[in-house]
């Protein structure tokens, strides 16, 4: 068996185990970034297909909204069990479709399992508050109700985790889901859909709670514009968010945006440098720089910058770049040739601004048609325009600072606001950073990537302001009602108003 047919066979086998029968062909070619192998061809969905899927989901909502939340939780519990059973199949598909190394692919599936656990617990904790009423004999409270059909639009780089953050929570909140995955990762989506359908059969949940629609932005637009979609949860580039948000707003729909980041870490003179280097290298080079939380800017105190750069450069030279299925590889492929062109262009612009590439940034020859690069470490004289942009590839820009106020100002002076961290052993510095970082995620002594599902995930500014996953993110998937109940025999009006 040659390498190409091997990958195709592996994909078909993993899909088969998850219960997916691959269709015979179609206009959507699915290629693996590992070596460019065409893994499958799938039919694209039309606007009519999307309309039908939303119609089914809207009908399922009528039933699902009346199922008590703890009973809805049983569906998610069963899904979690199936995800455990098929963890290695899904991880294999993630590596095949995205090129993540197996350990990161398995970690992504583990996130799905974890968020199912979280959502099952949540199904008994969709709490509303009771507030003291200003009127005697009255009860004032809020209750939370299912919202409607949720449209999930997801990016290529977390092809299954982002779906699960949305879907596990949406389902316990009483909402069906119509999912448009990235056009480059439809196979993992079909596998998730098959597992969820099986879970629904096993627990006797209504038909039509979940649909996958395949295609590009046009299919996404059909979801975005449909008034039956109560919430559009869209993950992807800032460019996409700018197009989606006004369209949803025009119909007064709800939008949850998880967009690009340009994440930074500050390294102070007191930092534990062994720990810092490990944290920085994983955050900046892991997943070949293709996480929304990838570390892209390192702001280092002048007194230690030479040492830090030298140590990171040394660690970079030991990173093995190559086929993610090969033992010992830590950096897999970029998703496309276009990503490499974006990286090349950013490095040229950085050089024109006076930047110096200290390590990496080169194309690495790996057999097949995959696009492989060595992660780049670039010293910059300042935070120029290119540094303020998100280039979705492994480039880490190093900037220098003299005092913490300057470092935090540099940190916040970009349009995005997703993840951030500080490496320091000085509590005062750590607390100052936590109170002043303008990101949705701020860490101390760990890198910017690799969040846990228990916290709310998301960012500010151009990152879109949405929050998914843990904490009280579920509130985005429900509607709140304020209820006042009069159990007295009088009818006192609020604010002491007299009428008649
Ligand atoms: P992308 O914006 O190209 O595509 C994301 C999704 O949006 C895809 O499914 C795509 O088909 C769809 N889409 C694009 N234009 C659309 C439109 N006009 N209407 C409706 N749908 C549309 O992003 P990508 O290249 O797949 O992913 C990388 C980007 O995603 C990076 O910017 C990364 O930072 C971001 N991202 C953010 C998070 C987060 O949680 N903040 C997580 C993962 C990825």
């Amino acid at each position: 068996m040659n390498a190409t047919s091997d990958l195709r066979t592996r994909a078909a086998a993993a899909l088969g185990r998850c219960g997916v029968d691959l269709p015979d062909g179609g206009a959507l070619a699915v290629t693996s970034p590992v070596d460019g192998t065409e893994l499958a061809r799938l039919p694209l969905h039309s606007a009519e297909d999307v309309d039908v899927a939303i119609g089914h989901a809207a009908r399922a909502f009528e039933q699902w909204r009346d199922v008590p939340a703890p009973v809805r939780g049983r569906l998610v519990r069963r899904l979690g069990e199936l995800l455990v059973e098929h963890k290695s199949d899904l991880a294999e598909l993630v590596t095949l479709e995205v090129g993540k190394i197996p350990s990161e692919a398995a970690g992504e599936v583990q996130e799905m399992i974890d968020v199912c656990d979280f959502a099952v617990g949540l199904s008994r904790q969709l709490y509303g508050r009771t507030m003291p009423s200003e009127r005697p004999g009255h009860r004032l409270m809020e209750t939370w109700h299912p919202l409607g059909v949720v449209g999930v639009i997801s990016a290529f780089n977390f092809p299954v985790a982002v779906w699960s953050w949305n879907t596990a929570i949406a389902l316990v909140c009483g909402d069906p889901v119509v999912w448009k995955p990235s056009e480059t990762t439809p196979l993992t989506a079909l596998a998730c859909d098959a597992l969820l359908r099986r879970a629904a059969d096993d627990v006797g949940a209504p038909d039509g709670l979940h649909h996958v629609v395949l295609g590009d932005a046009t299919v996404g637009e059909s979801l975005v514009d449909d008034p039956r979609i109560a919430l559009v949860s869209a993950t992807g580039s800032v460019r996409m968010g700018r197009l989606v948000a006004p369209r949803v707003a025009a119909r007064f729909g709800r939008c949850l945006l998880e967009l690009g980041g340009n994440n930074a870490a500050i390294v102070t003179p007191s930092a534990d440098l062994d720990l810092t280097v490990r944290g920085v290298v994983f955050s900046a080079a892991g997943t070949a720089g293709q996480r929304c939380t990838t570390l892209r800017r390192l702001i280092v105190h002048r007194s230690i910058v030479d040492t830090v750069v030298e140590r990171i450069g040394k660690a970079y030279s030991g990173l093995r770049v190559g086929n993610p299925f090969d033992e010992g590889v830590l950096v897999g492929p970029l998703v496309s040739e276009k990503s490499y062109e974006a990286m090349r262009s950013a490095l040229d612009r950085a050089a024109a601004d006076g930047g110096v590439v200290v390590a990496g940034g080169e194309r690495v020859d790996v057999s097949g048609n995959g696009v492989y690069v060595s992660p780049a470490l670039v010293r910059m004289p300042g935070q120029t325009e290119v540094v303020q942009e998100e280039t979705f590839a492994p480039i880490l820009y190093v900037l220098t600072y003299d005092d913490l106020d300057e470092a935090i100002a540099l940190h916040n002076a970009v349009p995005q606001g997703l993840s951030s961290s500080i490496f320091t052993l000085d509590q005062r510095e750590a607390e100052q950073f936590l109170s002043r970082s303008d990101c949705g995620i701020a860490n101390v002594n760990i890198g910017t990537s690799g969040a846990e599902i228990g916290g709310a995930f998301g960012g500010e500014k151009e990152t879109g302001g949405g929050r998914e996953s843990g904490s009280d993110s579920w509130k985005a998937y429900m509607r709140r009602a304020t209820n006042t109940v009069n159990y007295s025999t009088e009818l006192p009006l609020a604010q002491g108003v007299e009428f008649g």
Side-chain angles (χ1 to χ4, degrees):
M1 197 183 282
N2 65 32
T4 299
S5 60
D6 181 37
L7 291 195
R8 197 176 300 141
T9 309
R10 284 170 78 161
L15 285 163
R17 287 190 293 272
C18 293
V20 178
D21 276 334
L22 270 181
D24 277 345
L28 180 60
V30 190
T31 55
S32 174
V34 172
D35 65 0
T37 294
E38 185 174 293
L39 297 172
R41 292 191 84 88
L42 301 171
L44 284 167
H45 287 118
S46 63
E48 291 71 40
D49 296 326
V50 178
D51 180 62
V52 170
I54 297 173
H56 279 161
R59 281 195 295 283
F61 178 60
E62 297 304 321
Q63 286 177 269
W64 193 236
R65 65 193 300 171
D66 290 336
V67 175
V71 179
R72 298 195 293 251
R74 289 183 203 154
L75 168 60
V76 176
R77 183 192 299 139
R78 180 67 191 132
L79 173 65
E81 288 166 2
L82 291 174
L83 293 175
V84 170
E85 208 177 294
H86 292 280
K87 183 173 175 182
S88 57
D89 296 325
L90 287 167
E92 169 114 325
L93 288 167
V94 170
T95 299
L96 287 165
E97 259 192 341
V98 184
K100 286 190 187 184
I101 60 170
S103 156
E104 288 192 61
E108 179 168 353
V109 183
Q110 186 58 44
E111 258 184 60
M112 305 172 80
I113 295 164
D114 294 345
V115 84
C116 284
D117 275 358
F118 179 87
V120 173
L122 186 64
S123 70
R124 290 182 182 271
Q125 298 175 76
L126 300 169
Y127 300 137
R129 294 170 191 229
T130 301
M131 292 72 86
S133 169
E134 66 192 43
R135 288 170 279 186
H138 282 59
R139 180 152 62 91
L140 180 59
M141 62 182 182
E142 62 186 18
T143 47
W144 292 87
H145 304 272
L147 185 67
V149 181
V150 175
V152 175
I153 295 174
S154 58
F156 82 88
N157 65 321
F158 271 92
V160 291
V162 168
W163 168 74
S164 68
W165 298 348
N166 282 285
T167 303
I169 307 289
L171 286 173
V172 297
C173 290
D175 305 333
V177 170
V178 180
W179 179 21
K180 194 210 85 63
S182 163
E183 49 274 44
T184 66
T185 58
L187 297 181
T188 41
L190 293 180
C192 293
D193 181 57
L195 294 173
L196 180 48
R197 279 169 193 265
R198 205 164 114 203
D201 276 354
D202 290 351
V203 302
D207 282 343
L209 282 179
H210 189 254
H211 300 267
V212 170
V213 289
L214 299 181
D216 58 14
T218 327
V219 173
E221 283 167 5
S222 302
L223 274 187
V224 164
D225 291 337
D226 196 305
R228 293 168 297 176
I229 299 287
L231 168 70
V232 174
S233 174
T235 300
S237 56
V238 171
R239 192 190 138 273
M240 178 274 285
R242 273 192 214 292
L243 295 169
V244 164
R247 292 173 80 132
V248 179
R251 62 173 177 83
F252 295 102
R254 228 190 250 187
C255 217
L256 194 170
L257 296 175
E258 295 281 355
L259 308 176
N262 186 1
N263 318 295
I266 295 173
V267 186
T268 75
S270 71
D272 170 342
L273 287 192
D274 289 340
L275 185 145
T276 303
V277 170
R278 279 167 47 213
V280 166
V281 171
F282 171 66
S283 282
T287 333
Q290 299 169 112
R291 287 191 187 218
C292 51
T293 50
T294 289
L295 179 62
R296 308 198 181 279
R297 300 176 294 136
L298 194 65
I299 303 167
V300 190
H301 193 267
R302 192 175 301 281
S303 62
I304 52 167
V305 68
D306 291 337
T307 313
V308 169
V309 167
E310 194 198 320
R311 291 190 60 174
I312 295 171
K314 201 161 155 230
Y316 268 29
S317 63
L319 287 175
R320 200 163 146 216
V321 179
N323 184 320
F325 286 113
D326 289 350
E327 194 67 35
V329 163
L330 291 176
V331 181
L334 292 180
V335 71
S336 66
E337 193 65 46
K338 224 167 117 197
S339 302
Y340 174 68
E341 283 159 21
M343 179 171 178
R344 201 49 272 154
S345 150
L347 289 175
D348 290 346
R349 286 170 64 199
D353 292 341
V356 176
V357 177
V358 186
E362 286 127 20
R363 188 99 180 213
V364 178
D365 200 17
V366 176
S367 61
N369 288 326
V371 180
Y372 291 84
V373 291
S374 53
L377 182 64
V378 187
R379 273 188 91 154
M380 292 299 294
Q383 190 154 264
T384 61
E385 218 171 74
V386 70
V387 182
Q388 295 168 41
E389 294 168 11
E390 179 196 52
T391 301
F392 217 56
I395 304 175
L396 179 60
Y397 300 109
V398 182
L399 305 164
T400 308
Y401 79 91
D402 291 300
D403 72 73
L404 191 63
D405 284 344
E406 181 195 356
I408 295 175
L410 266 177
H411 173 276
N412 289 347
V414 293
Q416 314 82 354
L418 181 53
S419 186
S420 61
S421 60
I422 189 166
F423 289 90
T424 182
L425 298 182
D426 179 326
Q427 191 179 6
R428 189 178 289 163
E429 285 182 336
E431 294 293 341
Q432 280 185 22
F433 174 75
L434 292 181
S435 67
R436 286 161 61 198
S437 160
D438 63 4
C439 289
I441 298 167
N443 300 329
V444 178
N445 290 329
I446 60 167
T448 52
S449 66
E452 296 181 24
I453 63 94
F457 183 93
E460 303 299 332
K461 304 194 287 186
E462 288 189 1
T463 302
R467 291 296 186 279
E468 283 176 1
S469 195
S471 185
D472 65 351
S473 307
W474 59 271
K475 290 179 176 171
Y477 302 79
M478 300 197 87
R479 66 179 173 82
R480 180 198 321 237
T482 299
N483 312 129
T484 311
V485 178
N486 178 2
Y487 56 89
S488 73
T489 54
E490 305 299 318
L491 192 66
L493 299 179
Q495 295 90 42
V497 171
E498 299 282 347
F499 195 79

